[in-house]
């Protein structure tokens, strides 16, 4: 029997939803690992909509669940319906939608609030001692919900200009968590909390290196499951 894994999306597109390459990489590695996957997203309005061609705001409204369905090929459920008892693990790909739609980190930083269904999902898996995988900006969800946990968003300094969002590591530390510096092709395992994180597009790296790093995260999640 393959492991049953829930994947939680935040929309479709790096600037206002889930990062498409990260979501795809996670799904490919889960498939290769023999996992049985179900995809979820909160049924809420996006904080904003970004024209990805121009990089500017668009004057329209979109729904996170409806947009996430694009990535899920229509096979998706409302996050409110997710039951941790039916799964062995949960994975959150990154993208600015995590910081805008799943929580308010994009606006409030370390003082952010977390969507109620995202919060309850994280708590349910953690309480059941089931692994949680997060990549890119999504480790901030764990940092906010589980004070004292260990996560990585890459490096805490902008090494060679490859980590332009390195200040995120300091904000994580201010939340009382431990930031572990890792390269893009690595992940960090917080064994005590069963939280596995990797930096993905928090690092300016070739796509195959990001793909490989997400692979290490998925592999560690499946080992813990």
């Amino acid at each position: 029997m393959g492991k049953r894994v829930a994947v939680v999306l935040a929309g479709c597109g790096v600037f206002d939803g889930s990062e498409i390459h990260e979501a795809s990489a996670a799904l490919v590695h889960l498939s290769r690992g023999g996992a049985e996957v179900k995809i979820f997203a909160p049924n809420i309005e996006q904080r904003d909509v970004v024209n990805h061609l121009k990089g500017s705001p668009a004057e329209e409204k979109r729904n996170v669940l409806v947009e996430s369905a694009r990535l899920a090929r229509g096979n998706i459920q409302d996050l409110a319906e997710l039951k941790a008892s039916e799964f062995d693990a949960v994975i959150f790909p990154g993208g600015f939608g995590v910081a805008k739609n799943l929580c308010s980190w994009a606006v409030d930083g370390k003082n952010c609030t977390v969507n109620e269904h995202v919060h309850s999902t994280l708590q349910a898996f953690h309480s059941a001692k089931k692994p949680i995988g997060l990549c890119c900006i999504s480790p901030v969800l764990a940092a906010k919900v589980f004070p004292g946990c260990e996560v990585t968003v890459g490096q805490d300094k902008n090494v060679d200009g490859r980590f332009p969002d390195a200040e995120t590591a300091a904000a994580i530390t201010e939340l009382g968590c431990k930031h572990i510096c890792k390269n893009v092709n690595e992940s960090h395992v917080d064994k005590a909390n069963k939280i596995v994180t990797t930096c993905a597009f928090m690092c300016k790296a070739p796509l195959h290196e990001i793909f490989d790093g997400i692979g290490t995260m998925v592999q560690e999640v499946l080992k813990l499951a």
Side-chain angles (χ1 to χ4, degrees):
M1 279 288 289
K3 301 298 182 182
R4 300 164 301 169
V5 181
V7 174
V8 180
L9 300 180
C12 182
V14 59
F15 299 127
D16 57 15
S18 288
E19 210 296 319
I20 294 170
H21 299 293
E22 292 178 12
S24 178
L27 293 170
V28 169
H29 287 295
L30 285 166
S31 176
R32 183 170 287 151
E36 177 186 336
V37 176
K38 288 190 177 180
I39 304 174
F40 298 84
N43 186 11
I44 57 174
E45 187 177 301
Q46 291 184 187
R47 176 176 288 274
D48 61 20
V49 178
V50 176
N51 180 321
H52 281 57
L53 178 61
K54 297 179 179 179
S56 58
E59 294 300 321
E60 59 182 285
K61 297 183 184 299
R62 296 194 183 189
N63 177 280
V64 174
L65 178 59
V66 173
E67 292 302 297
S68 298
R70 294 173 180 271
L71 285 169
R73 297 172 60 87
N75 189 8
I76 194 168
Q77 292 175 260
D78 188 336
L79 183 59
E81 300 172 7
L82 194 162
K83 296 181 176 62
S85 59
E86 297 178 355
F87 295 91
D88 300 303
V90 64
I91 287 177
F92 289 77
F96 284 118
V98 172
K100 292 179 175 181
N101 304 325
L102 303 192
C103 70
S104 64
W105 186 277
V107 176
D108 302 319
K110 61 184 175 60
N111 298 315
C112 72
T113 57
V114 178
N115 171 274
E116 61 174 318
H117 295 302
V118 173
H119 194 285
S120 61
T121 295
L122 289 167
Q123 287 282 18
F125 277 87
H126 188 259
S127 297
K129 294 181 169 50
K130 295 179 177 182
I132 299 167
L134 309 113
C135 64
C136 195
I137 191 62
S138 64
V140 302
L141 296 172
K144 187 66 181 180
V145 177
F146 308 118
C149 71
E150 298 177 356
V151 299
T152 188
V153 289
Q155 300 291 322
D156 56 10
K157 294 180 177 61
N158 190 8
V159 181
D160 298 326
R162 298 174 73 228
F163 294 89
D165 301 305
E167 70 277 1
T168 304
I172 286 169
T173 302
E174 289 174 18
L175 284 170
C177 298
K178 186 174 183 180
H179 180 265
I180 309 296
C181 290
K182 291 285 183 178
N183 292 320
V184 67
N185 60 347
E186 299 176 314
S187 56
H188 176 69
V189 182
D190 177 348
K191 293 181 180 178
N193 290 293
K194 289 194 172 182
I195 295 170
V196 188
T197 51
T198 189
C199 70
F201 278 101
M202 295 292 275
C203 176
K204 289 185 175 180
L207 184 57
H208 71 279
E209 293 184 12
I210 291 161
F211 182 89
D212 291 345
I214 292 172
T216 68
M217 181 266 286
V218 170
Q219 289 165 18
E220 294 296 340
V221 165
L222 294 177
K223 284 180 190 175
L224 291 171

